[in-house]
Amino acid sequence: MGAYLLEWLSLFFRWFHVIAGVAWIGASFYFVWLDLSLRKPPQWKTDKGISGDLWAVHGGGFYEIAKYKLEPEEMPKTLHWFKWEAYTTWLTGAAMMSIVYYANATAYLIDPSKVPFTSIGAIATSLLFLFGSYFIYEVIVRSHLGKNAFIFSTLIFILLVIASWGSYQLFSDRASFIHIGAILGTVMVGNVFFGIMPAQRALVDCVRRGEKPGKEVAELALQAKNRSLMNNYFTLPLIFTMISNHYPMMYAHEKGWLVLVFVGIITATARHYFNQKHLGHKKPRYLVIPAVLTVLLIIWMRPEPIEPAPAMPATASVAPTTTDSTPPDISAITDTNTDTVANANNSANNNATNSADNSTSTDAVTAEAVPVSASADDAMMDVVHTRCSTCHAVQPTQQGFAAPPAGIILQTPEDLKIHKAKIVTAVQTGYMPLGNITQLTDAERQQLVAYASSL
């Protein structure tokens, strides 16, 4: 019943997480585009304190958008704050992290071949890893280093590379990608909560009091803009990590942490192209570079060719040699005519003569390959039942699973044949078993891949 309820909670929070994430990402992309697309307004707008304006057409109507340098002439009665999109995304993401990775730590979070954590130990390490990474980011962004865009960006990139490597030393491959996504999401929502919102509140308070915003407020506004731009570059890498659990070939690669670094570079560079385009700077190289890197990544990650299952040697069925000296029935001898006796003698002589000639061919017949025997099927199904069917059964016996993952049932050879393509991919990449919870050995993994590919 507990696993069943967790499935429903996962469905509920995943749905709201997607909705909130789409709203947040849409708002982030829109406002960066808007800010970079503003043009110098006419003089009468400049006199009113407007720093840029934009005309747009959408939904059958014209829109006139203006941005004030700091404060408007008077405080508007209705003011929308863009914050709950970010907060809801993080809160639902944290709920998903707890339901999927913490409640089922042994299945999704822990890889005993890396660190044999207990569930509590793994959860504590995960929380320390996430919030420790965010604390380091916040220290840097508030320091003098955070005021230099190049130095700040370089430091953050180096720290994310270290975090990617570190997550692979601590957690399961799948959880490693999710942890980097959680760090990015936490940094982004922290930028909103600790940087963007305080700056906006300070600006709004000045306008409400009828005061001219001072230098301190202007600096907060500039910092908020820089944090918002950082969120913009983090968005595409974050989206990738959010959907990465659907692509085991990425995180289950033996250098998965490096794959993640490459994807981060590719997506952030592509985002930079669009940011430059919004400014009116068309620089195709920022699309060519990600394209070339993607091709190189595909070539580098290509899997080794699958060797077909080796044929099993035939088991020769040899009639036992008898030493029975009982004489034949006398009636048979009586009924045998002379020709029959002669033919029998000739046959016996021929067999005796040919026995030496066929001695070498007997070994060849014995070694002749035949399809996998029934006993080999049984041996392979024993591995499947021990290592796979604990989760992939009509009624899973593995704790934390109320139903077979992805609805895939693996209990008979026919089941393996139906899902052979998925089995080969999942087992070859190391994606399955999850966290190798059933301790599938390397030898068994190779045998299972070869067996399934030959079905």
Side-chain angles (χ1 to χ4, degrees):
M1 179 60 71
Y4 177 72
L5 292 177
L6 285 177
E7 288 285 342
W8 273 102
L9 288 173
S10 176
L11 174 63
F12 176 82
F13 283 109
R14 188 183 299 275
W15 177 247
F16 280 95
H17 182 61
V18 169
I19 294 174
V22 169
W24 187 17
I25 292 167
S28 174
F29 280 6
Y30 173 72
F31 275 99
V32 170
W33 168 83
L34 178 61
D35 202 55
L36 297 177
S37 300
L38 293 172
R39 298 295 180 261
K40 185 178 180 180
Q43 187 59 43
W44 67 271
K45 286 187 177 181
T46 302
D47 295 339
K48 296 177 63 175
I50 295 175
S51 61
D53 68 353
L54 172 73
W55 283 86
V57 59
H58 183 73
F62 288 94
Y63 292 80
E64 181 185 10
I65 304 166
K67 179 182 179 181
Y68 284 83
K69 186 174 182 180
L70 280 177
E71 79 281 9
E73 299 168 292
E74 62 180 26
M75 188 66 190
K77 294 181 179 180
T78 302
L79 185 64
H80 182 78
W81 295 73
F82 288 86
K83 58 181 180 178
W84 288 112
E85 297 89 346
Y87 298 162
T88 306
T89 301
W90 190 88
L91 289 172
T92 52
M96 285 295 301
M97 188 83 168
S98 300
I99 294 169
V100 176
Y101 290 92
Y102 293 166
N104 292 317
T106 55
Y108 293 102
L109 182 61
I110 300 171
D111 184 344
S113 66
K114 296 179 180 179
V115 181
F117 281 123
T118 62
S119 294
I120 294 177
I123 294 170
T125 304
S126 172
L127 293 172
L128 181 62
F129 186 80
L130 293 176
F131 290 105
S133 299
Y134 176 73
F135 176 78
I136 294 173
Y137 168 83
E138 197 66 32
V139 168
I140 294 174
V141 77
R142 291 175 181 268
S143 69
H144 292 292
L145 298 174
K147 296 180 180 179
N148 186 302
F150 177 77
I151 295 177
F152 176 66
S153 301
T154 302
L155 279 176
I156 297 304
F157 174 74
I158 293 173
L159 289 174
L160 285 174
V161 171
I162 295 173
S164 298
W165 178 85
S167 67
Y168 263 81
Q169 312 312 308
L170 296 172
F171 311 112
S172 71
D173 295 343
R174 171 172 166 165
S176 298
F177 267 44
I178 292 297
H179 273 76
I180 299 304
I183 289 174
L184 294 177
T186 301
V187 166
M188 291 172 70
V189 79
N191 281 335
V192 174
F193 188 83
F194 293 108
I196 297 172
M197 291 307 300
Q200 292 179 172
R201 289 193 188 97
L203 181 60
V204 170
D205 288 343
C206 285
V207 175
R208 283 175 175 168
R209 293 194 301 266
E211 299 177 359
K212 185 77 173 176
K215 181 180 179 181
E216 182 179 353
V217 175
E219 288 181 352
L220 285 175
L222 179 60
Q223 187 185 84
K225 180 181 177 181
N226 291 337
R227 285 181 182 256
S228 180
L229 189 61
M230 179 62 68
N231 282 3
N232 178 260
Y233 280 101
F234 280 174
T235 301
L236 292 182
L238 176 63
I239 293 174
F240 173 79
T241 58
M242 287 173 63
I243 65 174
S244 65
N245 63 313
H246 297 290
Y247 301 97
M249 68 175 182
M250 305 297 285
Y251 62 76
H253 191 272
E254 61 178 345
K255 298 292 184 183
W257 68 272
L258 194 55
V259 172
L260 184 55
V261 171
F262 265 94
V263 171
I265 294 173
I266 290 168
T267 52
T269 305
R271 185 66 239 167
H272 184 65
Y273 166 80
F274 288 102
N275 289 341
Q276 290 295 309
K277 184 175 181 292
H278 299 331
L279 288 170
H281 305 150
K282 295 182 180 180
K283 298 182 178 181
R285 65 176 179 271
Y286 291 122
L287 280 185
V288 174
I289 292 173
V292 172
L293 289 177
T294 301
V295 172
L296 293 176
L297 184 63
I298 292 171
I299 295 173
W300 175 58
M301 289 181 60
R302 70 190 187 281
E304 294 295 329
I306 299 173
E307 296 294 334
M312 300 294 291
T315 303
S317 179
V318 181
T321 303
T322 60
T323 57
D324 188 3
S325 59
T326 304
D329 184 70
I330 191 65
S331 62
I333 297 175
T334 304
D335 294 337
T336 303
N337 55 35
T338 305
D339 292 336
T340 304
V341 172
N343 291 336
N345 288 336
N346 290 334
S347 177
N349 290 334
N350 291 335
N351 288 339
T353 302
N354 295 334
S355 62
D357 296 335
N358 294 335
S359 60
T360 56
S361 63
T362 303
D363 295 336
V365 172
T366 303
E368 184 180 352
V370 296
V372 177
S373 65
S375 59
D377 288 338
D378 294 340
M380 204 67 255
M381 289 310 301
D382 286 342
V383 172
V384 172
H385 291 153
T386 304
R387 310 301 190 190
C388 309
S389 298
T390 55
C391 299
H392 291 282
V394 177
Q395 292 293 332
T397 57
Q398 178 63 47
Q399 183 180 2
F401 291 87
I408 296 175
I409 297 173
L410 303 176
Q411 293 182 299
T412 67
E414 289 73 22
D415 294 335
L416 267 64
K417 188 172 184 179
I418 292 172
H419 302 291
K420 60 178 290 185
K422 294 180 179 179
I423 292 171
V424 170
T425 300
V427 177
Q428 187 181 41
T429 59
Y431 170 51
M432 287 290 176
L434 289 171
N436 203 16
I437 191 173
T438 57
Q439 299 297 297
L440 182 69
T441 66
D442 291 340
E444 290 171 338
R445 189 178 298 277
Q446 294 172 2
Q447 292 167 3
L448 183 54
V449 169
Y451 179 80
S453 63
S454 67
L455 292 176

